[in-house]
Every structure is written in C-alpha cells, then in structure tokens.
Amino acid sequence: DTAVSQTPKYLVTQMGNDKSIKCEQNLGHDTMYWYKQDSKKFLKIMFSYNNKELIINETVPNRFSPKSPDKAHLNLHINSLELGDSAVYFCASSQSRRAYNEQFFGPGTRLTVL
Amino acid sequence: KNEVEQSPQNLTAQEGEFITINCSYSVGISALHWLQQHPGGGIVSLFMLSSGKKKHGRLIATINIQEKHSSLHITASHPRDSAVYICAVRSMETSGSRLTFGEGTQLTVNP
C-alpha cells in the first residue's frame, strides 16, 4: 500500500505546453512538499503546504503553481514549460511541519521537456 | 558555497569494508536527516538526528552539534548498499519545514 504516490512517473512533453503532476499521501500527514532534483542529482525545496496552507514558496518561477485540494493531495501545475524544467520532481509528506518529523518521499516524476 | 557539504562525492568500496560518509553544515540546525536514493531513483529516509548517535542494523549515524558535523557509517558493506546518500538539514534560521540538501555521496560497493 503506497504511502506517497505520484502520477505520472514519466512525462515527456514539448516546450510551451502546460502539464500537471499529482501527489497523494495516505499517511494522514499534515504537511506536504515538492522538491526538484536537477541533472546533477541536487535536491531543492520548491513548495510546502501545511493543512492546505502554503508555508514555503522558494524562488520558483510563477509558471509553477501548487494546488492542495485537501491535506492528502498536493498537485503541481506547470505552465509554458521550458527546457530547463526538465528534472525529477519529488513529492514528500511529514506528520507536521515540526523539525523532528521524518519525511516520506514519493517515487518521483521524471519530466523531460523537448 | 552550499550550506551543507558532503564528502566524499564518490566512494567505491569492496564488500565487507567499513564506510564513512561525512556531512558538514554552516548554519544552526534543529535536525539533520540522512537519506538514501536507490539506483531506481526512490528516496528513503534513513535517520533523523538532533544529537548523539542512532543505529539501525548496519547503519550508524552520529552528529556533533558543536562542530556542525555528522557522519553516516555502514558496517560490513554489501553491494545492495550501493546508492546515493544525501545529508539534509532543517535550519533554525529559516521558517517552516524547509530542508537544505547536500549534493550527495555516490557509494558503489563491489562484490
């Protein structure tokens, strides 16, 4: 029974398109995150939501818009895709926003922009 | 300069060797995480530390808050330990639950 799931696992699309990545967690956690892993495998936080409220919004182009319909879901919508958006995107969740909570990661979505 | 530095970047070992991966950070932290990323890409949390030492099977993680340094040790290494090991810190200087990551250590254990 998957704890944090993401769809799709692979996404290949053309420059300029709009796409969404979905994330769901069945752990009953309050806090969810989106991370970007670049070609050098470096992970960086993009967004974090706590109980559907945005709490972290890093310096991310406003073409990226997270949406949390409920605390079990955090979707990532990307407008006008660019070549530089190609990366692996990981969703994660933790019980709360407190420092001592372990984060559980989804399997990742590999986005390739052609 | 990244707030979190790991060494070495790449490490190759023979099966059975004792392995140490180091992590140094430059900010005050409330917690430090060690993560493992499998060759298939999945990320698993191994440890979360705020002080002292934790052990899980053949893995041991230690942290020295005064020296701003943590180590991940693997005893009796096995080829299935081959993965990227990532150190991440929860900074006290930033709000929310942001993790700042090191660049990872690629470990290859040969049979």
Side-chain angles (χ1 to χ4, degrees), chain A residues 20-102:
Chain A
S20 292
I21 306 172
K22 296 188 175 181
C23 178
E24 177 181 2
Q25 52 95 4
N26 62 7
L27 297 166
H29 287 170
D30 286 343
T31 310
M32 296 184 73
Y33 313 80
W34 276 110
Y35 294 97
K36 180 180 180 180
Q37 187 174 45
D38 62 24
S39 56
K40 294 184 180 178
K41 301 280 192 177
F42 189 59
L43 275 162
K44 195 164 182 186
I45 183 77
M46 298 174 71
F47 301 104
S48 178
Y49 271 71
N50 187 67
N51 276 323
K52 302 197 301 174
E53 179 190 349
L54 181 66
I55 56 170
I56 296 173
N57 185 352
E58 282 297 287
T59 312
V60 176
N62 57 16
R63 299 181 294 103
F64 290 79
S65 52
K67 285 191 172 48
S68 182
D70 55 62
K71 73 174 194 178
H73 295 84
L74 180 61
N75 303 323
L76 184 65
H77 189 76
I78 315 170
N79 288 326
S80 303
L81 278 155
E82 299 178 358
L83 293 176
D85 298 332
S86 295
V88 181
Y89 293 84
F90 286 95
C91 177
S93 73
S94 62
Q95 188 170 356
S96 75
R97 59 191 290 181
R98 293 182 61 190
Y100 308 111
N101 290 151
E102 183 180 359

Side-chain angles (χ1 to χ4, degrees), chain B residues 46-64:
Chain B
L46 297 175
F47 294 103
M48 188 173 51
L49 296 162
S50 56
S51 64
K53 175 178 170 178
K54 284 190 176 180
K55 185 175 190 291
H56 185 254
R58 295 180 295 106
L59 301 177
I60 303 166
T62 64
I63 188 168
N64 185 319

